Amino acid sequence: QVQLVESGGGLVQAGGSLRLSCVASGSIFNINGMGWDRQAPGKQRELVAAITSGGSTNYADSVKGRFTISRDNAKNTVYLQMNSLKLEDTAVYYCNAYIKEDGLGFRRYWAQGTQVTVSS
């Protein structure tokens, strides 16, 4: 079975940095797009950043210039470097990936979520 496991969340002061990591494991044949969404209390889940297997990236306007998404295909890992963090970046961050298992089509998988809290 495929599993996504996140790490790197926590508490940081405004203006600080955090790096999130997400590793995919299991019976993986191929991984297509990977990305990060987030959900703040009382708000809808929103896209933060996404990256294709070829390295093309897409960012929410609110994080452009501050966050950087990257991936290591050899390690089935996606990263989110978050700099100049703001109070409004406080949310649960969810890693996701389109993964093809042996003998099956691509399916979107989600990690369990990691809390990022930015304090003043």
Side-chain angles (χ1 to χ4, degrees), residues 9-115:
L11 175 65
V12 64
Q13 284 192 324
S17 299
L18 280 176
R19 189 193 196 207
L20 305 183
S21 300
C22 177
V23 181
S25 62
S27 56
I28 296 170
F29 183 77
N30 196 10
I31 302 178
N32 201 345
M34 304 182 82
W36 297 87
D37 287 12
R38 68 186 180 186
Q39 187 166 20
K43 295 188 177 182
Q44 289 188 331
R45 189 175 294 195
E46 61 176 358
L47 168 74
V48 176
I51 185 167
T52 68
S53 57
S56 296
T57 57
N58 182 40
Y59 295 94
D61 287 343
S62 59
V63 306
K64 282 181 181 176
R66 301 187 297 120
F67 290 11
T68 302
I69 189 171
S70 61
R71 64 190 284 173
D72 185 332
N73 291 331
K75 296 181 179 180
N76 291 339
T77 300
V78 63
Y79 306 96
L80 185 67
Q81 178 67 44
M82 304 184 293
N83 299 329
S84 302
L85 282 160
K86 302 177 180 180
L87 296 179
E88 52 263 41
D89 293 319
T90 295
V92 177
Y93 285 69
Y94 297 93
C95 164
N96 61 93
Y98 289 89
I99 297 174
K100 177 177 171 54
E101 296 180 72
D102 266 342
L104 300 175
F106 279 97
R107 176 188 162 190
R108 195 175 194 183
Y109 290 86
W110 295 87
Q112 77 283 1
T114 187
Q115 177 70 46

